[in-house]
Amino acid sequence: MAKKGENNYQYTPRKYICPNCGYATTNENALTVRQMEIYNFIKNYIAKYEEFPTFDTIGKRFDIRLSAAHDHVKRLVKKGIIKHVNKYTL
């Protein structure tokens, strides 16, 4: 039991995955598990359909809102995994 003024919270570091090797790491520039799932989905979608999936397609696949799908893709761009010129590409 925590004493008065202390908290009961315990810090749990986020789990990141290296996009190159797939192993877990604590490097914040690596991908979170969810980002890795979305990256793999995008990679497989492009291999199958030869075009980038829409945010709606990503959202439906992962049962997330359109804005959340957009945020995940923006983070992948920020980490240098996906490039955005006129369209998103790997």
Side-chain angles (χ1 to χ4, degrees):
M1 187 99 191
K3 296 179 184 177
K4 188 174 182 178
E6 293 180 2
N7 64 35
N8 251 352
Y9 301 105
Q10 193 173 19
Y11 173 72
T12 305
R14 291 186 82 165
K15 294 181 181 176
Y16 296 96
I17 299 175
C18 175
N20 297 323
C21 65
Y23 289 108
T25 180
T26 55
N27 182 356
E28 292 184 8
N29 289 328
L31 304 180
T32 64
V33 173
R34 185 62 148 193
Q35 289 169 346
M36 191 66 173
E37 291 171 349
I38 291 173
Y39 169 67
N40 285 331
F41 171 74
I42 291 169
K43 190 168 61 169
N44 293 333
Y45 189 94
I46 290 173
K48 185 174 182 178
Y49 298 106
E50 297 181 1
E51 66 181 15
F52 198 88
T54 63
F55 294 122
D56 190 46
T57 303
I58 296 169
K60 286 179 181 176
R61 166 62 181 82
F62 291 98
D63 195 28
I64 57 176
R65 292 183 177 155
L66 184 76
S67 60
H70 185 259
D71 289 342
H72 279 294
V73 172
K74 277 191 343 187
R75 286 187 189 103
L76 291 172
V77 170
K78 187 175 179 179
K79 290 184 177 188
I81 305 299
I82 293 175
K83 293 178 186 150
H84 181 235
V85 182
N86 289 331
K87 291 185 171 186
Y88 289 102
T89 59
L90 293 178

